Amino acid sequence: MKKKMIRLDSKLFAHLNAYSQPNCYQPISTLKNGGKATEMNTHNCRVVEPYHIVVLQSLSIRIVHSDHRFSFLQFLTIFMGKYGSLGLILFVIVLYGAWFCELGFSVTVTYDSKALIIDGRKRILQSGSIHYPRATPEMWPDIIENAKEGGLDVIETYVFWNYHEPVKGQYYFEGRFDLVKFVKTVQEAGLFVHLRIGPYACAEWNYGGFPLWLHFIPGIQFRTTNGPYQAEMKLFLAKIVNLMKEENLFASQGGPIIVAQVENEYGNVEWAYGVGGELYVKWAAETALSFNTSVPWVMCAQSDAPDPIINTCNGFYCDDFTPNSPSKPKMWTENYPGWFLAFGYPVPYRPVEDLAFAVARFFEKGGTFQNYYMYFGGTNFGRTAGGPLVATSYDYDAPIDEYGFIRQPKWGHLRDLHMAIKQCEEYLVNADPTQQSLGINLEADVYYKTANDCAAFLANYGSALDANVTFNGKSYFLPAWSVSILPDCKNVVFNTAKVVAQKSVGDATFVENEFSLSNSNWSWYVEKVGVWSNDSFSATTLLEQINTTKDTSDFLWYTTRIEVDEKKDAFLVIESLGHAALIFLNKKVLAFGYGYHDDASFNVSEKISLEKGNNTLDIISMMIGLQNYGPWFDIMGAGLYSVTLADLKNTKKDISSNEWTYQVGTEGESLGLDKTDVANTSLWTHGSELPTNQSLIWYKSTFVAPEGKGPLSLNLASMGKGQAWVNGQSIGRYWSSYLSPSTGCTDNCDYRGSYNAQKCQKKCGQPAQILYHVPRTWVHAGENLVVLHEELGGDPLKISVVTRTGQEVCGHVSEDDPIPVDLWKPNSDSSSQSPQLRLTCDQGWKFSSVHFASFGNPKGDCGGFSQGSCHIDILSIVEQACVGKQKCWVPVSTAKLGNPCPGVVKRLAIEALCTA
């Protein structure tokens, strides 16, 4: 259906505007079918009931609320009284067009030095990265809605070339890769989109998002001034831009896309490409502009981005970033709430106090657009994970966790921060900051509208000492490494170091309900070692793995013969570019070698005993994700490059130039053992004695999914290394036997001071990951098929299915904490209002019980609260407020709770259980 454009004159808008809510916007698509609509990009709109009138003002969509004061007929009377029969016609067109047509309205997006300008309005924008393939389409709406509730205005995503064009000229946009559906889902939620087309993504994604067929085009060189590459890049950019245009998804067409990105972090590697790199940047910019998207283009981490392309910042902190032109706004495209996970490494996390500090400092210093990379990380299903050795979980310690659950207190603390910054928007976009020194490592940045009307940020950027400062004649307490936000230059509505948002008890993603598969009927298939089919081939050299397999499989067999005149001992030395290799001598396991994420190369040196005559050497070389980052990353190799024998006298023999026989992939892959249609064939062996701790073996069983609607997880702690499938869907690679170093972790990382990816880590001495996400829509009632390809050895009898049926939540708020940000209003007396402790259950659960409630001076923290010397029993008050509800809040007020110890600043602590 083509979009329709309705324009109503300004007099009608002026008349109707008296009844509308200011700054309340909603995309028209959300108003169809009589559904309720809420605000877009603001936090103060009322819920709109099924009777609405939708009008267009300054090319924006405005919702006029019917309210209890104005009936449907009264609104009709307004139209009729003002415009007679024309009013009736307009009313019918607008109302029914809104509900039954897919209307589109042109929105202009430009920029100046202060902000992106959307429809003539300068905007402060909070954004979050959500990658559509790292979740299922069924998950998208809830994730996006939680992002919106968290205060985001924009959803940012990469576009993944290798899965959209798996074969040159053949395109795929279905299932998890339905880009159009994802963008429309964001639009339906009332949010904008930043589309990072690239087409290079990095993203810890296989080959950085490039299709491997690109590598084999004669004469090609990636990401530089190279004709074959530039031709393919331009074709794919055009494909995505035209697809978005065909679906009317750019802002100028009434769509949600307000920003697009070409290339990605090229400035980090441009030096390696010399003059060709400099010319390539200019070409990429010119090419992007030639598509006439009518929205701004950005290049992140690209200090030489040519006008009018906006260069943006990526990093843990971007307050010191300055665009390369005074006409460009200060934008932050990647702010990391944690870091990605790699096999063999501890789990990184980032304290929310530091993350909030970084965001507040950015806006304090003139920032206008900030994006969390990631806001929801999700899962690297199948073989999508990049390399080397990037784990299947892409959780990223994000505000929404891998399974789609809200992570507290990160989500709630950032939501409050976003609301506080939004209170300052009109000041930030219309003025430059006036900086005042308040002492050593202490400063104020003030944004004036008039001499007596301003917003301020008070910062203590020292990492050691708390401070009391005087600002405008009033004293303020600033914890070390914190920023206080004063939307009226008087009242602190938010401090980055004071976390009053609720917390989750414990560290587990699931309140574990495990269903063991030990009693399931298991079957197995043992693979042949070495060459297993007639499509093998030979060469008198060691072949590079990626060029040989073309990434059709993680595996490449290298097989040769070693002939000796007599039985003897020797040393076998194997050198590999990576990533791992399992070595067999005379069909028996000899050794296993592997690298790690920062250096995937490795050597294996083993003493061996050779039999007289022919000895077979079989090596299965394993990939764990193609390289995704770095200069010339596309030509980084993998696999064996040297094999030598040395006798006990250290006389070496290089057997790298022996005749080697090669087999791409494993026997089980060729048989399709992961597929559901092979599950009941005679290929599988059944028996009472299941072989365990055996290499190169496939396992198959079934399980009945636990009841409920929430996601599931397979606990694969008992397995070694391999890949798992549920009902034919790959849930990714696992490597439970690869333990992280035993030192370097802390459960209580000090948020003060600059953060890096190694500063805060947990789960030292443990696998990087043991729980593997199974989306609920991938299972069904009755028996579900689980298949594992175990490469090293494990025990499938100890596998379990895990689900989450509840969560422990808690809160801890003091009398002297600020009131909730959404309760603060300009020119209001906040001292007359009390702080509140607010709790919310996730995923539609409700509070079933309260485990702890105390007002006074309770001790401890979440999961370990106890009564202090000052205590009043408020359990019944809290139960009445919370039990049976999805959300509840309790005022931190002696008037409501009593006063057990006058003259003492009291705290309220609550711990409660949410269940279905």
Side-chain angles (χ1 to χ4, degrees):
M1 181 183 295
K2 289 187 176 181
K3 306 285 185 179
K4 295 182 180 179
M5 183 69 68
I6 299 174
R7 296 185 182 274
L8 307 181
D9 70 54
S10 59
K11 290 182 180 179
L12 177 59
F13 291 134
H15 187 80
L16 289 172
N17 203 36
Y19 307 109
S20 67
Q21 297 177 71
N23 303 320
C24 183
Y25 299 91
Q26 182 73 13
I28 203 111
S29 58
T30 63
L31 304 181
K32 295 184 292 184
N33 304 320
K36 291 185 178 182
T38 53
E39 74 278 12
M40 175 168 128
N41 304 318
T42 75
H43 303 278
N44 60 356
C45 296
R46 297 185 298 274
V47 172
V48 178
E49 299 301 332
Y51 298 113
H52 345 59
I53 296 174
V54 184
V55 296
L56 184 69
Q57 184 175 29
S58 301
L59 299 180
S60 293
I61 302 166
R62 182 172 298 279
I63 298 172
V64 182
H65 192 283
S66 64
D67 209 291
H68 297 296
R69 296 170 296 168
F70 303 100
S71 69
F72 186 94
L73 283 175
Q74 284 173 311
F75 269 116
L76 181 56
T77 302
I78 293 172
F79 274 89
M80 294 287 289
K82 184 70 177 177
Y83 288 92
S85 59
L86 174 60
L88 175 60
I89 294 170
L90 290 172
F91 179 86
V92 171
I93 290 174
V94 175
L95 181 64
Y96 287 91
W99 282 13
F100 299 108
C101 296
E102 197 174 4
L103 300 177
F105 294 92
S106 173
V107 173
T108 59
V109 184
T110 58
Y111 66 82
D112 65 10
S113 62
K114 295 301 298 178
L116 291 178
I117 305 172
I118 302 174
D119 223 13
R121 178 186 169 197
K122 297 181 182 181
R123 298 295 302 274
I124 292 294
L125 297 170
Q126 303 290 352
S127 174
S129 291
I130 299 173
H131 296 158
Y132 49 101
R134 285 175 160 142
T136 62
E138 295 80 7
M139 295 172 64
W140 294 343
D142 286 342
I143 293 168
I144 293 166
E145 187 60 35
N146 283 336
K148 179 180 178 180
E149 290 295 318
L152 296 194
D153 307 291
V154 184
I155 300 300
E156 185 180 274
T157 186
Y158 283 124
V159 176
F160 298 93
W161 188 1
N162 54 351
Y163 278 82
H164 289 310
E165 193 177 3
V167 177
K168 179 173 168 54
Q170 298 181 19
Y171 296 99
Y172 181 80
F173 292 94
E174 298 177 17
R176 291 185 294 114
F177 293 90
D178 192 339
L179 174 61
V180 168
K181 182 175 181 178
F182 178 77
V183 173
K184 288 184 176 180
T185 304
V186 175
Q187 182 180 25
E188 288 165 4
L191 300 179
F192 297 123
V193 171
H194 176 197
L195 194 65
R196 303 176 73 179
I197 305 175
Y200 168 68
C202 181
E204 290 71 56
W205 190 265
N206 198 49
Y207 213 39
F210 284 142
L212 199 69
W213 56 258
L214 199 68
H215 174 75
F216 296 99
I217 293 176
I220 200 165
Q221 289 184 331
F222 290 7
R223 305 179 78 193
T224 188
T225 305
N226 172 266
Y229 172 74
Q230 289 169 293
E232 295 298 333
M233 174 175 166
K234 186 172 183 178
L235 281 173
F236 184 72
L237 285 172
K239 175 68 178 180
I240 299 301
V241 169
N242 290 334
L243 180 62
M244 297 299 103
K245 285 184 176 181
E246 289 166 7
E247 297 290 337
N248 296 303
L249 293 175
F250 284 104
S252 60
Q253 303 171 293
I257 302 173
I258 58 168
V259 183
Q261 179 178 299
V262 65
E263 248 299 336
N264 183 52
E265 295 184 319
Y266 190 71
N268 297 343
V269 298
E270 184 178 342
W271 57 270
Y273 298 87
V275 174
E278 297 176 15
L279 296 174
Y280 169 66
V281 170
K282 295 178 181 178
W283 172 84
E286 291 169 357
T287 301
L289 295 172
S290 72
F291 293 122
N292 297 317
T293 62
S294 71
V295 301
W297 286 84
V298 303
M299 284 183 167
C300 66
Q302 193 67 49
S303 60
D304 59 347
D307 292 343
I309 306 294
I310 304 169
N311 66 304
T312 69
C313 182
N314 289 0
F316 291 113
Y317 306 93
C318 282
D319 47 292
D320 288 337
F321 168 74
T322 301
N324 64 10
S325 167
S327 65
K328 299 176 183 179
K330 182 171 177 174
M331 298 177 64
W332 189 0
T333 37
E334 292 190 12
N335 177 11
Y336 311 111
W339 199 242
F340 66 88
L341 185 63
F343 290 123
Y345 285 68
V347 178
Y349 65 97
R350 186 178 186 184
V352 69
E353 297 93 335
D354 174 68
L355 180 57
F357 171 80
V359 174
R361 285 287 280 174
F362 175 71
F363 287 100
E364 175 188 351
K365 295 298 182 181
T368 181
F369 177 108
Q370 184 268 151
N371 177 76
Y372 299 100
Y373 186 97
M374 303 291 294
Y375 196 79
F376 162 81
T379 307
N380 293 314
F381 296 113
R383 299 172 59 245
T384 58
L389 284 77
V390 172
T392 296
S393 172
Y394 201 66
D395 181 84
Y396 235 98
D397 196 34
I400 301 175
D401 73 18
E402 178 183 0
Y403 298 86
F405 294 111
I406 288 174
R407 171 173 277 118
Q408 297 285 21
K410 186 164 281 186
W411 182 91
H413 194 53
L414 295 176
R415 173 204 57 199
D416 294 346
L417 170 63
H418 302 152
M419 286 192 288
I421 293 171
K422 191 68 72 175
Q423 295 275 16
C424 305
E425 181 176 45
E426 291 304 312
Y427 301 91
L428 296 175
V429 298
N430 290 304
D432 293 320
T434 300
Q435 184 174 316
Q436 302 176 20
S437 174
L438 304 177
I440 299 175
N441 295 330
L442 301 165
E443 66 182 13
D445 281 283
V446 186
Y447 289 80
Y448 288 98
K449 187 178 291 185
T450 66
N452 298 315
D453 187 7
C454 61
F457 294 76
L458 309 184
N460 180 350
Y461 54 92
S463 60
L465 300 177
D466 298 341
N468 287 292
V469 300
T470 299
F471 173 71
N472 284 354
K474 187 176 177 181
S475 180
Y476 297 88
F477 174 68
L478 290 179
W481 204 252
S482 79
V483 176
S484 286
I485 300 176
L486 293 69
D488 59 357
C489 277
K490 300 173 185 176
N491 295 289
V492 175
V493 299
F494 184 87
N495 178 271
T496 59
K498 292 184 177 181
V499 180
V500 298
Q502 76 179 50
K503 299 180 181 179
S504 300
V505 177
D507 188 43
T509 300
F510 292 86
V511 172
E512 293 193 359
N513 285 271
E514 296 207 40
F515 300 83
S516 174
L517 301 188
S518 60
N519 295 323
S520 301
N521 292 318
W522 286 92
S523 305
W524 65 93
Y525 182 91
V526 179
E527 290 192 316
K528 295 182 178 67
V529 173
V531 174
W532 47 264
S533 78
N534 293 327
D535 60 359
S536 60
F537 55 94
S538 298
T540 55
T541 186
L542 293 173
L543 298 179
E544 192 278 325
Q545 183 166 350
I546 300 172
N547 286 323
T548 306
T549 66
K550 297 179 173 58
D551 198 35
T552 57
S553 170
D554 280 354
F555 308 101
L556 178 63
W557 280 102
Y558 294 74
T559 296
T560 193
R561 295 181 180 274
I562 303 173
E563 188 170 351
V564 293
D565 295 333
E566 58 182 0
K567 183 176 182 178
K568 66 178 182 179
D569 293 335
F571 287 98
L572 175 68
V573 179
I574 297 172
E575 298 177 84
S576 174
L577 296 172
H579 301 161
L582 186 61
I583 303 158
F584 298 82
L585 181 63
N586 294 324
K587 307 301 180 181
K588 295 181 180 179
V589 174
L590 174 67
F592 177 61
Y594 53 92
Y596 56 101
H597 172 70
D598 292 312
D599 183 4
S601 64
F602 62 91
N603 298 339
V604 175
S605 181
E606 289 285 330
K607 184 179 180 181
I608 62 174
S609 294
L610 297 171
E611 301 293 331
K612 180 180 178 181
N614 280 327
N615 296 262
T616 59
L617 178 64
D618 299 290
I619 304 169
I620 184 169
S621 181
M622 307 168 177
M623 295 291 299
I624 305 100
L626 298 187
Q627 186 81 23
N628 59 260
Y629 181 73
W632 305 103
F633 77 87
D634 50 294
I635 58 174
M636 292 184 181
L640 312 186
Y641 67 89
S642 174
V643 181
T644 59
L645 279 175
D647 59 24
L648 300 183
K649 297 179 181 179
N650 204 31
T651 301
K652 294 184 179 180
K653 179 182 179 183
D654 188 349
I655 61 173
S656 303
S657 56
N658 274 19
E659 183 176 30
W660 291 84
T661 302
Y662 294 92
Q663 182 86 65
V664 175
T666 66
E667 186 184 20
E669 286 177 319
S670 71
L671 295 172
L673 296 182
D674 57 303
K675 305 293 192 298
T676 56
D677 56 4
V678 181
N680 296 316
T681 66
S682 59
L683 290 170
W684 295 95
T685 301
H686 309 272
S688 57
E689 295 296 325
L690 181 70
T692 60
N693 299 311
Q694 181 171 327
S695 61
L696 299 184
I697 184 170
W698 292 72
Y699 295 109
K700 173 184 73 73
S701 188
T702 59
F703 67 92
V704 176
E707 294 182 0
K709 297 181 180 180
L712 308 175
S713 181
L714 275 189
N715 187 332
L716 299 178
S718 64
M719 303 306 292
K721 177 184 181 296
Q723 189 172 344
W725 294 262
V726 171
N727 293 329
Q729 298 274 9
S730 173
I731 61 172
R733 301 184 183 99
Y734 64 85
W735 197 345
S736 305
S737 61
Y738 197 170
L739 305 183
S740 66
S742 59
T743 59
C745 289
T746 175
D747 290 330
N748 296 299
C749 184
D750 189 347
Y751 70 85
R752 298 172 299 179
S754 295
Y755 177 83
N756 61 66
Q758 291 75 47
K759 179 180 178 181
C760 303
Q761 300 181 121
K762 56 188 176 182
K763 298 189 177 180
C764 283
Q766 301 178 44
Q769 181 179 358
I770 61 172
L771 296 179
Y772 288 79
H773 179 202
V774 182
R776 175 63 70 163
T777 53
W778 287 6
V779 299
H780 49 251
E783 292 189 338
N784 294 272
L785 177 69
V786 58
V787 174
L788 300 101
H789 179 217
E790 176 55 51
E791 301 163 21
L792 302 180
D795 186 354
L797 294 175
K798 296 179 181 177
I799 291 174
S800 60
V801 178
V802 186
T803 187
R804 181 175 179 177
T805 58
Q807 61 180 164
E808 295 268 1
V809 300
C810 64
H812 195 198
V813 179
S814 168
E815 282 184 298
D816 60 2
D817 283 326
I819 64 171
V821 181
D822 59 317
L823 295 183
W824 184 87
K825 303 300 179 196
N827 303 314
S828 64
D829 182 11
S830 60
S831 62
S832 63
Q833 302 182 71
S834 300
Q836 293 180 0
L837 194 158
R838 295 179 170 184
L839 297 176
T840 302
C841 292
D842 205 354
Q843 298 289 321
W845 295 330
K846 295 181 180 180
F847 292 104
S848 57
S849 59
V850 179
H851 294 172
F852 182 88
S854 177
F855 185 54
N857 60 351
K859 300 177 181 178
D861 204 345
C862 288
F865 284 131
S866 62
Q867 295 178 10
S869 57
C870 170
H871 163 74
I872 188 170
D873 185 1
I874 57 166
L875 183 62
S876 62
I877 296 175
V878 176
E879 287 177 335
Q880 184 176 2
C882 297
V883 172
K885 300 176 183 177
Q886 197 253 338
K887 298 180 179 181
C888 67
W889 50 90
V890 180
V892 186
S893 164
T894 55
K896 299 290 185 181
L897 304 178
N899 194 352
C901 40
V904 176
V905 175
K906 287 163 283 295
R907 301 182 301 277
L908 173 61
I910 300 174
E911 187 173 310
L913 176 65
C914 298
T915 55

